Amino acid sequence: MKPVKVGICGLGTVGSGTFNVLKRNAEEIARRAGRGIEVAQIAQRRPNPQCDTGSTPITADVLAVADNPEIDVVVELIGGYTLARELVLRAIANGKHVVTANKALIAVHGNEIFARAREQGVIVAFEASVAGGIPVIKALREGLAANRINWVAGIINGTGNFILSEMREKGRTFPDVLAEAQALGYAEADPTFDVEGIDAAHKLTILASIAFGIPLQFDKAYTEGITRLTTADVGYAEALGYRIKHLGVARSTDQGIELRVHPTLIPADRLIANVNGVMNAVMVNGDAVGSTLFYGAGAGQEPTASAVVADLVDVVRAMTSDPENRVPHLAFQPDALSDHPVLSIEACESAYYLRIQAKDHPGVLAQVASILSARGINIESIMQKEAEEHDGLVPMILLTHRVTERHMVEAITALEALDDVVGDVVRIRVEHLN
Ligand code: HSE
């Protein structure tokens, strides 16, 4: 049988990794797909000296790949929302299947893209958009299809996890580790997407849609980054038996769906709390299966290429099948998506870590306890440190039981108004994941 012809758009870190893996493992891949997969065209703006593309035709115009009648599958690896959206929609309109690693594109424009793909009867595959090399989309969409999913919680940004791990283990500074993550090709073109949680929110939006059968709603995701975390809080969390991780949490409740990305204390003995460096891990809790954990490299050249090439194999296997009988893009049949609302962060529920800087006076603890109890906030534990030499303030660290964010915000406002409390109260959410 003739090989399937693929056009790779973008020959950066992931594009060159994809080219190299397709070439190196061509025989093994053809045995799996049932046909060869041939890169018939590459679109690249700048030459990539790290990738020997041999005699493969090269163009600088990505849209020329979408318009090339020879090409069966367009692989979109240029990133961003604008040209990438045009490219993908053009490829779909021309009846081509699409494979993309672009989480921003899927999270923001996925509803439109999948609607067009259905009209044209083509596949849009996007495994590499979430958690790099971990096949978590396939697991959630197919392997766990028997379950009602209760929650998904993941470390889904490799750069952020790499930064937090290096800071905690080696005492390195934030800019120093970020520069290394950029050099290693982990970070986004705009690294604020990594450290402010936007990249993780894109991925969580995709996971939540597939887990709960809801449309993609990136605009409703709550996003808080890691840039304001201090080494003091990392140390206090350790002393209490926790690790701080940048976690994406999607939870189904009777009121709606929680969709939030933020620094989170996790008990240090959980497997996911021990996921370090650029590694990602996603926990999925289903009513039948219980808790599962998917672990692997969340970024990087060949781990991400692994997911892109697996999608290509899937496309080749399914391209001759009846479009109605393929796995739906978002796991649930498109006419069966739910309108269960995504909750605002004020309506979400979590346990909390609080750090209060207090003057060393009698009765401060009693005032703090009274403010919390007046709002029904149950204290789980309290740790009070010695007064700090430079300012005489006492760091008071509290862990609370679960409470809605609205009540916690009210309590923090009241705590900050106390004469004996100095500065802002530090608040980090806590998830036990059990
Ligand atoms: N910048 C992303 C990360 C790349 O660090 O996880 C993979 O999506």
Side-chain angles (χ1 to χ4, degrees):
M1 207 184 279
K2 282 203 311 198
V4 171
K5 299 211 171 175
V6 168
I8 296 181
C9 297
L11 203 69
T13 304
V14 181
S16 56
T18 299
F19 185 88
N20 291 337
V21 171
L22 279 172
K23 192 161 88 176
R24 190 174 72 232
N25 296 342
E27 202 181 313
E28 210 66 348
I29 289 166
R31 284 173 61 213
R32 290 193 170 102
R35 293 169 70 176
I37 298 179
E38 178 190 320
V39 180
Q41 192 175 22
I42 292 171
Q44 63 175 113
R45 270 170 287 185
R46 283 173 296 279
N48 183 345
Q50 267 142 38
C51 190
D52 175 9
T53 53
S55 57
T56 312
I58 307 263
T59 169
D61 176 10
V62 288
L63 297 177
V65 180
D67 290 337
N68 181 346
E70 294 282 303
I71 298 291
D72 304 300
V73 189
V74 170
V75 180
E76 184 279 303
L77 301 173
I78 60 174
Y81 309 89
T82 315
L83 183 55
R85 174 174 168 273
E86 192 182 348
L87 167 66
V88 166
L89 292 177
R90 178 92 74 103
I92 292 170
N94 288 338
K96 298 183 194 310
H97 304 285
V98 173
V99 172
T100 177
N102 191 333
K103 54 258 160 175
L105 181 72
I106 296 297
V108 176
H109 297 295
N111 297 321
E112 175 194 21
I113 288 169
F114 297 141
R116 296 280 178 82
R118 276 197 306 281
E119 285 161 17
Q120 293 294 325
V122 297
I123 303 165
V124 176
F126 53 98
E127 181 65 67
S129 67
V130 178
I134 310 173
V136 66
I137 289 181
K138 197 166 190 75
L140 199 48
R141 194 163 55 182
E142 297 169 49
L144 296 175
N147 289 262
R148 191 169 45 74
I149 304 296
N150 296 317
W151 52 263
V152 177
I155 297 170
I156 44 181
N157 181 266
T159 302
N161 202 40
F162 183 64
I163 292 172
L164 288 183
S165 306
E166 292 287 302
M167 286 172 72
R168 190 181 69 80
E169 289 166 11
K170 301 181 188 155
R172 294 177 63 191
T173 64
F174 191 95
D176 176 35
V177 192
L178 177 58
E180 187 182 346
Q182 287 178 287
L184 290 167
Y186 302 154
E188 295 303 297
D190 176 355
T192 58
F193 273 44
D194 296 296
V195 297
E196 294 297 356
I198 300 160
D199 176 78
H202 286 144
K203 296 166 181 168
L204 186 69
T205 298
I206 297 170
L207 288 175
S209 281
I210 293 172
F212 306 124
I214 55 171
L216 295 149
Q217 295 166 76
F218 170 69
D219 55 332
K220 308 243 174 77
Y222 172 79
T223 306
E224 192 179 305
I226 56 172
T227 51
R228 285 167 296 283
L229 278 180
T230 66
T231 46
D233 291 310
V234 172
Y236 293 140
E238 293 265 350
L240 289 161
Y242 291 81
R243 293 267 166 85
I244 301 183
K245 292 290 179 189
H246 200 201
L247 205 68
V249 180
R251 189 190 308 272
S252 176
T253 74
D254 290 344
Q255 291 70 42
I257 300 210
E258 297 186 357
L259 193 59
R260 49 194 170 92
V261 173
H262 46 69
T264 311
L265 271 76
I266 305 171
D269 60 2
R270 296 274 180 278
L271 278 176
I272 195 168
N274 295 283
V275 170
N276 293 314
V278 73
M279 305 311 271
N280 280 193
V282 182
M283 287 184 79
V284 181
N285 181 278
D287 68 335
V289 73
S291 284
T292 55
L293 177 69
F294 303 89
Y295 168 85
Q301 187 167 53
E302 292 216 351
T304 312
S306 164
V308 172
V309 174
D311 269 351
L312 278 170
V313 171
D314 260 2
V315 169
V316 172
R317 285 171 175 158
M319 61 201 298
T320 52
S321 66
D322 174 3
E324 295 300 312
N325 295 328
R326 294 180 186 146
V327 178
H329 293 110
L330 292 176
F332 291 71
Q333 297 299 335
D335 59 359
L337 292 187
S338 140
D339 58 3
H340 206 38
V342 174
L343 296 172
S344 70
I345 189 65
E346 289 76 25
C348 293
E349 195 185 270
S350 170
Y352 288 85
Y353 161 103
L354 301 178
R355 176 162 60 83
I356 301 165
Q357 294 288 101
K359 292 179 192 161
D360 199 5
H361 291 165
V364 183
L365 190 54
Q367 292 178 64
V368 168
S370 129
I371 284 174
L372 295 178
S373 79
R375 287 155 186 88
I377 302 173
N378 204 351
I379 299 171
E380 186 187 300
S381 62
I382 297 183
M383 180 169 79
Q384 189 171 325
K385 304 306 260 187
E386 294 293 309
E388 308 220 355
E389 269 180 30
H390 65 282
D391 56 12
L393 296 176
V394 179
M396 205 182 275
I397 293 103
L398 292 94
L399 291 178
T400 76
H401 286 276
R402 293 178 74 79
V403 56
T404 52
E405 178 101 359
R406 186 173 293 115
H407 289 126
M408 183 49 80
V409 169
E410 280 170 24
I412 288 174
T413 306
L415 290 171
E416 288 174 346
L418 289 175
D419 286 342
D420 287 332
V421 168
V422 177
D424 293 344
V425 172
V426 173
R427 170 279 273 126
I428 307 176
R429 298 171 189 85
V430 180
E431 291 291 338
H432 292 97
L433 304 178
N434 53 11

